[in-house]
Amino acid sequence: DSSKIGLAIHKLFSKKSSGYIEEQTEEQSNAPKIFLLGFGPSGKEVGTLLKDGGYTNISVIDLNKTCLNDATAYGFKAYIGDIRQLEVLQHFGIAKAELVIITVPSQEAALQAIDNIRRLNPKAYIIVRSRYQVSVKSFEKAGAHAIINEETAVGKDLGEKSLGYLVNL
């Protein structure tokens, strides 16, 4: 659930006094370097929450040109590339990331990306989307810090909506 990802990101950065300093610009002098791997519906939700929260030093990597055009429209840096390839992540600067959010639905692609991120940047905080509960342990073992499990998130949302309806009967 993207709101849970947004809350985790807010908590992570609100605990820090300053973020990573990359290229000094007025807008980004203390902005944490954030990567969004995948900019489909989930990535767009996360991107909206980050942008609304004032985070703009965001790079998006995706294979879909339309998604990259959307990322550019949000004001993010957009790069076309396969997140499963170490060289792609290295080329676009994942070694400088403070936070990496993986929103792609493919478990295989996400696990390969986590492995590559760990090799290039062991200090990066990684949040990953998990489509299924059965995949959570694999993501934990791979080195993800936070896993947002779609099955439990959807179940929680459905339960909350159900209770909201029943209370008003």
Side-chain angles (χ1 to χ4, degrees):
D1 182 72
S2 58
S3 61
K4 289 177 181 63
I5 294 172
L7 185 59
I9 292 164
H10 177 73
K11 286 181 183 177
L12 173 70
F13 287 125
S14 64
K15 291 178 185 173
K16 293 186 170 193
S17 59
S18 67
Y20 178 83
I21 300 173
E22 190 186 71
E23 299 167 346
Q24 294 257 343
T25 64
E26 285 181 42
E27 181 182 341
Q28 299 177 345
S29 61
N30 285 317
K33 181 70 175 155
I34 301 167
F35 274 82
L36 260 173
L37 305 186
F39 206 67
S42 296
K44 287 181 182 87
E45 285 289 324
V46 175
T48 298
L49 287 167
L50 290 170
K51 188 175 176 181
D52 290 350
Y55 299 101
T56 57
N57 194 14
I58 298 170
S59 297
V60 173
I61 302 175
D62 201 304
L63 283 169
N64 184 307
K65 184 97 170 107
T66 302
C67 292
L68 294 174
N69 290 338
D70 292 343
T72 301
Y74 277 61
F76 304 153
K77 295 176 203 95
Y79 305 110
I80 192 159
D82 186 342
I83 65 169
R84 296 172 295 183
Q85 295 180 4
L86 180 76
E87 298 80 13
V88 167
L89 297 178
Q90 186 173 28
H91 179 74
F92 294 127
I94 209 92
K96 296 178 182 176
E98 270 193 74
L99 172 64
V100 181
I101 306 146
I102 305 171
T103 68
V104 297
S106 167
Q107 177 183 350
E108 180 269 325
L111 285 169
Q112 185 63 54
I114 292 169
D115 183 59
N116 289 334
I117 295 161
R118 286 278 149 254
R119 291 168 66 191
L120 295 168
N121 184 349
K123 294 181 181 180
Y125 190 89
I126 300 172
I127 301 173
V128 64
R129 162 192 182 180
S130 176
R131 292 189 75 190
Y132 306 108
Q133 176 67 33
V134 71
S135 304
V136 170
K137 290 286 184 210
S138 297
F139 288 124
E140 288 172 350
K141 187 176 178 186
H145 295 92
I147 298 114
I148 307 304
N149 177 0
E150 285 184 33
E151 289 182 316
T152 55
V154 168
K156 183 177 184 232
D157 288 349
L158 288 168
E160 287 172 357
K161 296 285 186 209
S162 299
L163 288 172
Y165 171 78
L166 291 170
V167 167
N168 292 316
L169 279 180

